[in-house]
């Protein structure tokens, strides 16, 4: 479904992504793990078009989207929950959700979808008029996910959704991700919490200083010694 | 060789033009320079001064006094000018005085009307190289105060002045002093700032007062609007002003209906049958398609005046030009004929003009004391 | 004393050489009266820009009222110097002008510096307008007619002493712990407070120091240009100073010095192009900002450029946007 | 007598009571954890302790020694810091465009010993103090091996090192109590483990009392001697890690059933 | 009493002129946080276009108004693309300086072509003056007040009720996040400039007719007042700009009318500063302390 070939990205002189190639197939959960500063966020931002690729190709269902503007990519079905949530803090919860559906015109359906989001995250339903900026970290994370779902994406990019969440919620978030995936949305997940990510992922890539070093199924990687040592805190 | 000689042997005379061509006073500078250039063109077309063409060196001072100093220095030290004209406003003119004295090059303004510190210094000594060809604020202020007391029999006056203008400040002070000594009373003094367009607040306040005349020292750009708004508000007392009123723009802004019972002092009147005046008005109209205002007329005279002085000096030496300027006798200009007094102020008569439906209806000449 | 360190001696030497060279050129008539005016403008603008830079570039407080402080210095010095027509009177005038500006700076700074961003900008703008209107209506300042006949004591020597002094003192301040406290406010006020920095105190301090030096600049201005009037210190003047600061680079003393020089030279050069001077000036301003939005120097100082390998003592402020 | 005594502290925002009647005690030298669900009011409590928010009611008492005890509630943040509390932020708030060294030096400002005149004229005192400052700053940076990067801009550090720098910066204010808000957020298990050790180490080295907020139980359960648990602004439990782990309320509200990640 | 009523009429009509300019200003200001010093000059150019359309092309009021609005919209978008867009990621003060450059450029290009002298407008709107018990109200004052109110409502509607308005607000908060919602940032900003500038053009024509006096530097003071009004009312708040504009107009009038016109500007600013000290985010601004 999503395919990246030999992608290179620079920040000025910094070579942040070096010849990255990866694939996400329809219906999969694919996870991208790696240390701080490895280039995970950069990868997702480039897929959404927020960063420009220096070279390489990104394609969605065979169509080359490397040079398409970000809003167009949203229209084609790519949605992202960005690092640090990036909700609109001065707007209400409801307005944030409505903005998620910016490109849609089916008012009735949008309303239904908002209700669905409230069902999934009841706390958002209770706080629909609250200014989003005053939500706690976890509440904001839920809002960011809800907002991304409002565009009815075909592929959802998640950048560290469990960051800063309470243990109970971390598990819940992963359940929700699985759930979203089960309803037919393809997922590319970036995580620090590698063990959890690997446990729900069908396949995984490991990125180190801008280059993909290992890839395989979730189970394979979870068992790998190297991975254990580097990312799972195993001895 | 002569540094003013051109390649083809004809000599050129560099005359500095240091005017407000940008910034808030640009319209006055622009108008003055129009008049000056018209005069220079006429002189040059007629063969120049003793065969020398006048070469105006025009530099803008941004309506800023420090810039005026810099421009004056540039003209005097870099451009070989024999004299400098301008700036138009008193303050900017004052800022160039030390340079004129230091470089020994005469400067002349046609519209720096300030009373003190212009042609004379703090101690009352004349500034040798500094001249003007307009009367000062006190003459106009006193004249209009006397006009109000004597001709209009006014007892109570309101002053509405441009607080940001040195010109208005001088006029207002002199008017008030004389009006009071004539037994009159200033019932209110209000202010506005240059470029303002809404005067309703002060006019409403003034309206509630009991008064016979309004004295409105300031320029036509604001005065036109003040008069318009005053009349709209039902204030129909006489309105007095000074030479700042003299511009066709006053009529455009205020409208003919509002310009009744409006009196202002000026250097000359368009009613004057003197061919000098009528020819100038006709020539100006032909060139610019509108009537000249005071700035243009004064500028025109300034151009003619400096040429006349150079001619009389028979030399391009600044010092001799200065002497010629100082000894001017009966120079005939559009804005009146005058001689220079010992303080380098022109001894000029003043006219008080009455507007009826926006046009000059009558004019009364007042001779200087 | 470490003042006699090699580095400081070198700076001192450079200063003396600059001074002597210009002095000799003036005496030989190579630098004429006309050039001298440009030099005076440059020096005065340098003091203004460097002091505003301390407030806006280093401390991050958006001030649109610097001309107000300048006018206080100008009028106080003009009044004193006119009555005490001597070098001593001139120096007393400068000091009094600077102190008066600083006092007003404290009085105005304490309540207004609680405001942030554009709200502060409006407050400082208003404060400068208030000062201007007061000067416009005071008897002693001769109101709108302006104050003329100020004796000229400002010459190259005094310009040099005060300009170099201002640069050195403000630069020293910025490189001290107090200066770093100011910079931390620009970077993140909440974090600065949590690091034990009394942000209000340091904002007011920067504001006051800025006002003090603006007062000096105003005093030099009055004494050099013979004539001052309230209009010359309106909000457009404040904007002019801000333009120098931003063009040079907010947070770069060197930048302010360079931009003040370039702009003064440019203005003088453009005098010749009467009809289009403002158009050219404006177009250049836009172009420079488009191509160097961070200003000519960014936050770099001249010393950074000469110190490639040895980045040790780089200046505190380092914002490269 | 306890070093920090919080009594019935409450903070409400409009209708929402983010911290409600919270009391807690911290003894000198303790390492205490503060946990609770998202939005429970943990950060708000920190903000109250450090003067960022003014409490709606309640008191915060700091007693550095037996004789002196000070009310901190209502003090400005810089005064709280001077009194001996230092903190890090949940969302990193470094001086991003300044160098690592300057970040630390700024935090040392309150202990500087030269006056304004020295700042202007760079008298000898200035040089002496600046040298001392630099030395001390570098020593602190050594804790996290950051002194090699002292001339880097803070924003150019990798995320993990930025968090380390925040801790160093807080230490530079010479606090008696260090408050850490989610120091391990965004770190992978290896990095978290390393951080856990470092916290334990600096605490000994600087003779610190530490209160930390953290969602990563591997860290909390390993080094905290006592734990307080907040939920909906209220203190629902406190005690030793072993007890907290088994506490019903805590499990329901926060940990979830299968707690095996410690 | 009638004097006071008259002063209130004066204050409201002066204030609604400030508000008229401030509304377009605050729109751009709210979205990209740009202190657009050139806004006053777009207003000036609008006045001149209206002047040209009525004087030379002999058009009536409405065609002139429409032409002026359209031309200003184009001008606004053009200026944004050329001068502001390259500075999207620069500090705000850098863009401010660019705006000052653009402002000077428009003023002096205009002066180059039309000269510095003021011009007067042809009489396009009724010059009727109603006299209600000693209080004079001009028909034109009513037009201006009505226009300001209508503009405020229209803007409020656009910003808060339409999709484009939501996009504008999203862009103003976080451009990257807005893109992730599918919002075209450049187009949204262009649209904002188009509307803001068109409103400035309309204000130029109306005020030109009302005062019957235009000149190339006429935009400086109103531009500044609009900035003051926008900040005073609370940055980005549309009703705030309206109230801010009216507030300043009324304050100026009252100071002139009941105290001393010579100290008017000082008094108004002093009052403004006091209000800001009491309400540091302006009249309608929300004083949101950053959550840490
Ligand atoms: N705007 C930027 N300018 C310069 N360098 C950047 C920028 N953003 C990221 N980088 C650099 O690019 C590299 C990759 O960063 P990225 O944010 O993609 O890492 P990451 O894997 O998401 O890390 P983390 O786990 O901390 O989120 C890092 O070295 C980082 O310093
Ligand atoms: N300035 C504020 N205005 C309004 N509500 C606020 C404000 N600050 C915090 N809140 C609310 O107070 C509650 C507690 O927030 P706080 O940030 O203290 O939570 P927390 O325990 O730190 O959560 P997390 O673990 O997610 O960081 C939340 O519901 C939040 O929405
Ligand atoms: Mg990342
Ligand atoms: Mg928190």
């Amino acid at each position: 479904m999503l395919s990246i070939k030999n992608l290179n990205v620079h920040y000025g002189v910094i070579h942040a992504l070096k010849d990255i190639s990866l694939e996400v197939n329809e219906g999969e959960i694919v996870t991208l793990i790696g240390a701080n500063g490895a280039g995970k966020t950069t990868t997702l931002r480039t897929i959404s078009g927020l960063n420009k690729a220096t070279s390489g190709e990104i394609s969605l269902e065979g169509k080359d989207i490397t040079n398409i503007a970000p809003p167009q990519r949203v229209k084609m079905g790519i949605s992202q929950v960005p690092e640090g949530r990036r909700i609109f803090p001065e707007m209400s919860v409801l307005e944030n959700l409505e903005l998620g559906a910016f490109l849609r015109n089916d008012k009735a359906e949008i309303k239904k979808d908002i209700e669905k989001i409230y069902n999934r995250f009841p706390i958002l339903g209770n706080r629909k008029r609250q200014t989003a900026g005053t939500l706690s970290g976890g509440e904001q994370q839920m809002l960011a996910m809800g907002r991304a779902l409002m565009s009815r994406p075909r592929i959802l990019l998640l950048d560290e959704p469990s960051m800063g969440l309470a243990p109970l919620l971390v598990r819940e978030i992963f359940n929700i991700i699985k759930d979203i995936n089960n309803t037919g949305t393809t997922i590319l997940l970036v995580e620090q919490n590698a063990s959890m990510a690997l446990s729900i992922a069908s396949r995984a890539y490991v990125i180190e200083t801008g280059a993909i070093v290992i890839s395989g199924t979730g189970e394979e990687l979870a068992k790998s010694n190297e991975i254990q040592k580097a990312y799972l805190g195993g001895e | 060789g002569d540094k003013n000689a051109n390649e083809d042997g004809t000599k050129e005379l560099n005359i500095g033009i240091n005017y407000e061509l940008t910034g808030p006073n640009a319209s006055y500078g622009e108008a003055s320079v129009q008049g000056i250039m018209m005069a220079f063109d006429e002189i040059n077309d007629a063969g120049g001064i003793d065969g020398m063409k006048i070469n105006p060196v025009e530099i803008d001072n941004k309506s800023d006094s420090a810039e005026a100093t810099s421009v004056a220095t540039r003209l005097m030290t870099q451009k070989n000018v024999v004299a400098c004209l301008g700036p138009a406003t008193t303050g900017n003119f004052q800022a160039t005085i030390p340079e004129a004295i230091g470089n020994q090059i005469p400067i002349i303004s046609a519209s720096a009307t300030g009373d003190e510190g212009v042609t004379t210094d703090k101690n009352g000594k004349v500034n040798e190289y500094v001249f003007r060809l307009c009367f000062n604020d006190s003459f106009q202020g006193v004249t209009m105060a006397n006009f109000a007391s004597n001709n209009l029999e006014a007892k109570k006056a309101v002053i509405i002045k441009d607080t940001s203008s040195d010109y208005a400040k001088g006029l207002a002070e002199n008017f008030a002093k004389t009006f009071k000594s004539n037994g009159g009373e200033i019932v209110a003094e209000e202010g506005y700032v240059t470029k303002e367009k809404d005067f309703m607040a002060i006019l409403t306040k003034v309206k509630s007062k009991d008064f016979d005349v309004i004295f409105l020292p300031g320029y036509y750009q604001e005065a036109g609007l003040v008069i318009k708004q005053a009349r709209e508000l039902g204030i129909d007392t006489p309105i007095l002003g000074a030479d700042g009123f003299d511009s066709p723009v006053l009529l455009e802004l205020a409208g003919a209906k509002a310009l009744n019972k409006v009196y202002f002092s000026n250097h000359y009147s368009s009613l004057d049958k003197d061919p000098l005046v009528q020819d100038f008005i006709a020539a100006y109209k032909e060139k610019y398609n509108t009537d000249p205002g005071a700035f243009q007329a004064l500028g025109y005279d300034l151009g003619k005046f400096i040429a006349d002085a150079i001619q009389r000096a028979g030399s391009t030496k600044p010092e001799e030009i200065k002497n010629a300027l100082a000894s001017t006798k009966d120079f005939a200009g559009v804005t009146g004929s005058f001689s220079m007094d010992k303080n380098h102020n022109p001894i000029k008569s003043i006219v008080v003009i009455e507007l009826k439906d926006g046009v000059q209806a009558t004019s009364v000449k007042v001779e200087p004391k | 004393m470490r003042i006699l360190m090699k580095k400081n001696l070198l700076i001192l030497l450079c200063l003396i050489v600059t001074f002597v060279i210009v002095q000799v050129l003036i005496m030989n008539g190579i630098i004429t009266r006309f050039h001298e005016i440009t030099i005076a403008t440059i020096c005065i603008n340098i003091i203004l820009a460097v002091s505003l830079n301390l407030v806006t570039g280093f401390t991050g407080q958006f001030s649109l009222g610097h001309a107000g402080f300048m006018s206080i210095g100008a009028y106080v010095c003009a009044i004193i110097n006119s009555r005490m027509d001597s070098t001593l009177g001139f120096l007393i005038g400068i000091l009094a002008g600077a102190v008066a500006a600083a006092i007003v700076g404290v009085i105005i700074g304490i309540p207004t510096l609680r405001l942030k961003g554009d709200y502060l900008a409006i407050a400082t703008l208003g404060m400068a307008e208030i000062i201007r209107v007061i000067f416009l209506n005071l008897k002693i300042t001769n109101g709108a007619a302006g104050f003329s006949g100020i004796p000229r004591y400002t010459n190259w020597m005094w310009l040099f002493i005060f300009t170099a002094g201002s640069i050195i003192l403000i630069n020293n301040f910025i490189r001290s712990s107090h200066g770093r406290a100011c910079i931390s406010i620009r970077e993140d006020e909440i974090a600065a407070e949590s690091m034990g920095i009394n942000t209000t105190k340091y904002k007011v301090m920067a504001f006051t120091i800025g006002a003090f030096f603006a007062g000096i600049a105003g005093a030099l201005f009055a004494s050099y240009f013979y004539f001052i009037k309230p209009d010359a210190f309106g909000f457009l003047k404040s904007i002019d100073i801000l333009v120098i600061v931003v063009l040079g680079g907010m947070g770069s003393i060197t930048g302010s010095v360079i931009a003040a020089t370039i702009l003064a030279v440019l203005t003088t050069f453009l005098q010749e192009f009467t009809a289009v001077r403002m158009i050219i000036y404006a177009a250049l301003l836009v172009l420079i900002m488009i191509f160097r939005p961070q200003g000519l120097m960014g936050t770099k100082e001249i010393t950074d450029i000469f110190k490639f390998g040895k980045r040790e003592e780089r200046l505190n402020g380092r914002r490269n946007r | 007598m306890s070093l920090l005594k919080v009594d019935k502290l409450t903070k409400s925002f409009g209708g929402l009571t983010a911290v409600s009647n919270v009391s807690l005690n911290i003894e000198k030298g303790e390492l205490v954890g503060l946990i609770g669900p998202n939005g429970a009011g943990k950060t708000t409590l920190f903000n109250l302790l450090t003067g960022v928010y003014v409490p709606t009611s309640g008191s915060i008492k700091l007693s550095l020694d037996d004789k002196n005890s000070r009310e901190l509630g209502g003090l400005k943040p810089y005064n709280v810091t001077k009194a001996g509390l230092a903190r890090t932020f949940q969302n990193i708030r470094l001086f991003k465009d300044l160098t690592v060294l300057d970040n630390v030096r700024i935090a040392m400002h309150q202990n500087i010993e030269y006056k304004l005149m020295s700042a202007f004229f760079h008298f000898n005192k200035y040089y002496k103090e600046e040298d001392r400052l630099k030395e001390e700053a570098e020593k602190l940076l050594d804790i996290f091996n950051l002194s090699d990067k002292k001339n880097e801009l803070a924003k150019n550090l990798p995320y993990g090192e930025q968090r380390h720098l925040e801790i160093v910066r807080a230490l530079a204010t010479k606090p008696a109590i260090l408050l850490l808000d989610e120091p391990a957020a965004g770190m992978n298990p290896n990095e978290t483990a390393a951080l856990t050790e470092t916290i334990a180490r600096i605490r000994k080295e600087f003779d610190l009392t530490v209160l930390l907020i953290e969602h990563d139980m591997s860290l909390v359960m390993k080094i905290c001697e006592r734990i307080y648990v907040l939920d909906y602004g209220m203190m629902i439990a406190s005690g030793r890690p072993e007890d907290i782990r088994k506490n019903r309320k805590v499990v329901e509200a926060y940990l979830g059933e299968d707690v095996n990640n410690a | 009493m009638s004097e006071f009523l008259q002063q209130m009429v004066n204050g409201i009509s002066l204030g609604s002129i400030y508000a008229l300019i401030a509304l377009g200003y605050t729109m751009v200001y709210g979205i990209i946080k740009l202190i657009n010093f050139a806004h006053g000059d777009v207003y000036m150019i609008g006045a001149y276009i209206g002047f040209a359309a009525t004087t030379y092309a002999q058009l009536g009021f409405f065609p002139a108004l429409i032409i002026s609005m359209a031309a200003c919209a184009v001008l606004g978008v053009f200026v944004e693309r050329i001068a502001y867009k390259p500075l999207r990621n620069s500090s705000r003060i850098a863009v401010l300086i660019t705006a000052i450059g653009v402002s000077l450029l428009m003023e002096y290009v205009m002066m180059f072509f039309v000269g510095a002298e003021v011009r007067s407008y042809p009489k396009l709107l009724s010059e009727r003056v109603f006299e209600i018990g000693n209080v004079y109200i001009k028909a034109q004052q009513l037009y201006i007040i009505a226009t300001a109110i209508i503009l405020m409502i229209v803007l409020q509607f656009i910003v808060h009720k339409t999709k484009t308005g939501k996009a504008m607000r999203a862009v103003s908060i976080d451009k990257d996040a807005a893109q992730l919602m599918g919002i075209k940032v450049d187009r949204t900003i262009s649209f904002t400039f188009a509307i803001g500038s068109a409103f400035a053009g309309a204000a130029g024509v109306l005020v030109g007719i009302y005062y019957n006096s235009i000149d190339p530097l006429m935009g400086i003071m109103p531009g500044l007042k609009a900035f003051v009004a926008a900040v005073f009312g609370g940055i980005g708040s549309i009703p705030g700009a309206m109230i801010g504009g009216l507030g300043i107009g009324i304050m100026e009038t009252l100071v002139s009318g009941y105290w001393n016109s010579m100290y008017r500007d000082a008094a108004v600013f002093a009052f403004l500063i006091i209000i800001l000290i009491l309400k540091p985010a302006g009249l309608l601004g929300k004083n949101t302390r950053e959550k840490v």
Side-chain angles (χ1 to χ4, degrees), chain A residues 18-194:
Chain A
K18 302 162 189 157
D19 261 331
I20 286 207
S21 299
L22 60 83
E23 295 274 340
V24 183
N25 299 319
E26 180 110 44
E28 272 188 321
I29 297 180
V30 173
T31 181
L32 185 60
I33 56 178
N36 287 133
K40 306 178 294 294
T41 300
T42 307
T43 309
L44 293 199
R45 285 177 59 89
T46 313
I47 296 173
S48 277
L50 297 177
N51 286 350
K52 288 270 162 294
T54 344
S55 68
E57 194 190 294
I58 306 170
S59 56
L60 185 70
E61 295 177 320
K63 254 183 274 156
D64 183 1
I65 58 165
T66 325
N67 293 314
I68 285 181
Q72 196 61 30
R73 300 189 202 200
V74 180
K75 194 157 208 166
M76 293 174 75
I78 303 177
S79 192
Q80 183 176 161
V81 178
E83 186 174 49
R85 298 145 200 168
R86 304 291 280 269
I87 49 143
F88 299 106
E90 285 125 69
M91 296 190 183
S92 69
V93 169
L94 177 62
E95 282 175 312
N96 266 280
L97 291 177
E98 284 171 349
L99 271 169
F102 184 78
L103 289 175
R104 293 168 53 187
N105 286 315
D106 43 346
K107 279 212 179 115
E109 287 291 299
I110 291 176
K111 245 200 178 116
K112 269 191 220 153
D113 282 8
I114 290 178
E115 283 310 316
K116 269 192 213 157
I117 303 283
Y118 288 160
N119 285 338
R120 188 163 260 154
F121 308 105
I123 189 132
L124 296 184
N126 298 336
R127 305 280 183 95
K128 55 183 132 181
R129 306 259 164 238
Q130 187 174 338
T131 317
T134 60
L135 294 174
S136 83
E139 293 157 359
Q140 290 187 9
Q141 189 65 54
M142 295 180 221
L143 179 58
M145 268 213 203
R147 187 183 65 175
L149 288 174
M150 286 302 296
S151 69
R152 293 198 173 166
R154 304 166 37 70
I155 175 162
L156 184 62
L157 315 177
L158 298 166
D159 200 345
E160 300 199 29
S162 75
M163 173 139 125
L165 294 194
L168 192 63
L169 259 181
V170 172
R171 260 163 277 147
E172 198 174 321
I173 283 280
F174 279 99
N175 284 335
I176 290 169
I177 293 171
K178 261 193 285 189
D179 216 40
I180 293 169
N181 179 247
N182 285 339
T183 57
T185 311
T186 310
I187 283 168
L188 176 55
L189 170 68
V190 161
E191 255 304 334
Q192 285 289 357
N193 193 335

Side-chain angles (χ1 to χ4, degrees), chain A residues 34-37 85 123 127 130 136-139 160 163-169 171 192 194 228-234, chain D residues 16 36-40 90 158-160 182 185-191 215 217 232 251-259 261:
Chain A
N36 287 133
R85 298 145 200 168
I123 189 132
R127 305 280 183 95
Q130 187 174 338
S136 83
E139 293 157 359
E160 300 199 29
M163 173 139 125
L165 294 194
L168 192 63
L169 259 181
R171 260 163 277 147
Q192 285 289 357
Q228 280 282 341
K229 249 195 214 143
Y231 303 104
L232 302 178
Chain D
L16 185 98
N38 295 109
Q90 179 169 8
Y159 182 86
E182 299 198 29
M187 294 194 176
N188 69 32
N190 276 356
E191 293 162 335
H215 288 303
M217 288 305 111
Y232 289 110
V251 169
E252 259 167 39
Y254 184 65
L255 294 172
E257 291 298 340
D258 43 71
V259 214
N261 50 348

Side-chain angles (χ1 to χ4, degrees), chain C:
Chain C
M1 285 265 272
R2 280 237 232 149
I3 293 177
L4 298 181
M5 276 190 336
K6 211 170 90 195
K7 194 181 97 200
N8 289 345
L9 279 178
L10 202 70
I11 292 173
L12 196 65
L13 193 69
C14 286
L15 288 175
I16 292 172
V17 168
T18 319
F19 174 73
V20 169
I21 290 176
V22 175
Q23 185 68 40
V24 167
L25 290 180
I26 289 175
M27 292 197 304
N28 287 341
I30 297 172
I31 291 183
T32 62
R33 292 247 330 110
F34 172 63
H35 297 130
E36 228 188 289
I37 291 191
T38 310
I39 292 177
T41 310
I42 291 174
C43 289
I44 291 164
N45 283 351
I46 285 176
I47 302 176
L48 288 170
V50 168
S51 55
L52 179 63
N53 207 338
L54 173 63
V55 178
T56 299
F58 289 97
T59 315
Q61 305 303 305
F62 186 8
S63 166
L64 278 182
H66 216 51
F69 297 124
M70 182 190 178
S71 69
I72 293 175
Y75 272 104
V76 170
C77 179
I79 291 167
I80 290 178
N81 204 10
S82 301
R83 277 157 213 217
M84 219 174 133
D85 194 346
S86 64
T87 305
L88 182 67
F90 167 65
L91 292 177
I92 292 177
I94 291 190
L95 188 67
V99 169
I103 291 171
V104 175
V106 179
I107 293 171
I108 288 165
I110 290 172
T112 56
L113 284 166
R114 301 184 332 143
L115 300 173
K116 294 196 166 43
D118 300 338
Y119 296 101
L120 176 65
I122 291 293
T124 51
L125 172 100
M127 164 288 304
E129 279 299 298
I130 293 172
I131 292 173
R132 196 176 65 82
V133 172
I134 289 174
F135 283 142
L136 207 49
N137 287 289
L138 278 183
K139 212 155 199 106
I140 194 168
T141 59
N142 201 23
F147 198 103
S148 66
I150 306 162
R152 178 185 275 187
Y153 282 96
T154 304
N155 58 19
W156 163 241
M157 183 183 76
W158 291 122
L159 284 169
F160 181 82
I161 290 174
F162 282 109
T163 310
S166 304
I167 296 175
I168 292 172
L169 291 185
I170 292 180
N171 194 43
N172 278 352
F173 175 79
I174 288 164
R175 283 154 205 273
S176 73
S177 194
H178 300 71
R180 285 192 297 264
C182 291
I183 293 171
S184 74
I185 297 172
R186 170 190 80 192
E187 292 295 319
D188 188 332
E189 205 173 326
I190 291 173
E193 281 214 316
S194 292
M195 292 308 124
I197 287 164
N198 181 342
T199 51
T200 314
K201 174 174 152 192
Y202 283 95
K203 278 196 246 176
V204 173
M205 189 186 284
F207 202 64
T208 308
I209 296 169
F212 181 87
F213 285 99
I216 290 182
L220 292 171
F221 176 88
S223 169
Y224 192 85
F225 287 99
Y226 324 109
F227 175 81
I228 48 173
K229 59 176 177 182
D231 280 11
F233 308 104
F235 112 97
L236 291 176
K237 179 73 192 178
S238 297
I239 295 270
D240 282 347
I241 307 169
L242 186 68
V243 166
I244 300 174
V245 172
V246 178
L247 211 59
M250 291 204 293
S252 166
I253 300 275
T254 322
S256 293
V257 174
I258 294 175
T261 311
I262 291 181
L263 282 184
V265 171
L266 183 75
T267 313
T268 312
F269 174 75
L270 286 178
Q271 271 181 357
E272 298 267 354
F273 303 85
T274 291
V276 290
R277 72 184 293 194
M278 289 308 287
I279 300 180
I280 297 177
Y281 172 80
L284 279 176
L285 201 60
V286 175
L287 286 177
I288 297 175
M289 289 323 294
I290 290 177
F291 289 106
R292 269 199 88 76
Q294 73 277 46
L296 297 170
M297 296 293 289
T299 50
K300 285 207 171 50
E301 299 291 350
I302 184 111
T303 41
D304 300 335
I305 296 171
F306 292 120
K307 250 182 233 155
F308 310 89
K310 202 179 140 212
R311 291 194 299 175
E312 182 96 2
E313 288 289 332
R314 291 202 316 185
L315 173 72
N316 317 290
R318 200 130 316 280
R319 174 190 286 191
N320 290 319
R321 280 201 200 133

Side-chain angles (χ1 to χ4, degrees), chain B residues 216-285:
Chain B
L216 181 56
Y219 292 113
Y220 55 87
Q221 297 193 339
E222 292 84 23
L225 298 177
V226 175
I227 296 170
K228 174 177 184 247
Q229 292 171 20
R231 297 297 188 233
E232 279 170 351
L233 210 54
I235 298 176
D236 52 8
T237 54
I239 296 177
L240 312 185
D243 57 346
F245 276 23
D246 184 20
S247 165
V249 176
L250 186 81
L251 172 59
E252 288 176 27
L253 295 181
K257 220 172 61 202
L259 290 175
N260 280 306
K261 289 206 257 175
V262 171
Y263 306 86
F264 65 97
S265 57
N266 201 8
H267 310 266
Y268 76 111
S269 158
S270 59
L271 298 172
D272 196 335
K273 291 285 173 298
D274 187 342
L276 200 61
V277 173
Q278 294 307 327
D279 289 353
F280 166 69
I281 293 176
Y284 186 87
K285 236 177 172 160

Side-chain angles (χ1 to χ4, degrees), chain B residues 22-23 27 30 163 190-191 195-198 200-202 204-205 207-208 220-221 225 232-233 249 252-253, chain E residues 3 6-7 10 14 108 111 115-118 120 136 138 210-213 215 217 253 256-257 259 261-262 264:
Chain B
T22 60
S27 49
E30 204 176 67
T163 51
E190 297 296 330
K195 293 238 174 281
E196 209 165 297
K197 295 196 195 299
D198 200 309
M200 295 300 278
I202 51 178
T204 303
K205 182 180 178 192
K207 196 186 167 197
S208 68
Y220 55 87
Q221 297 193 339
L225 298 177
E232 279 170 351
L233 210 54
V249 176
E252 288 176 27
L253 295 181
Chain E
E3 184 188 343
Q6 180 70 54
Q7 291 293 23
N10 297 339
L14 177 62
Y108 286 103
M111 198 183 277
E117 190 58 271
V118 299
S120 60
Y136 291 76
K138 292 182 240 181
Y210 179 61
Y211 286 129
N212 185 34
S213 161
D215 70 274
L217 302 183
T253 305
S256 288
W259 189 42
S261 51
M262 253 88 91
R264 185 196 62 194

Side-chain angles (χ1 to χ4, degrees), chain D residues 143 167 171 198-206:
Chain D
I143 300 171
I167 298 176
L171 286 175
T198 319
I199 292 174
R201 199 181 82 221
I202 54 173
R203 172 187 164 216
K204 280 213 191 79
E205 218 173 295
F206 292 86

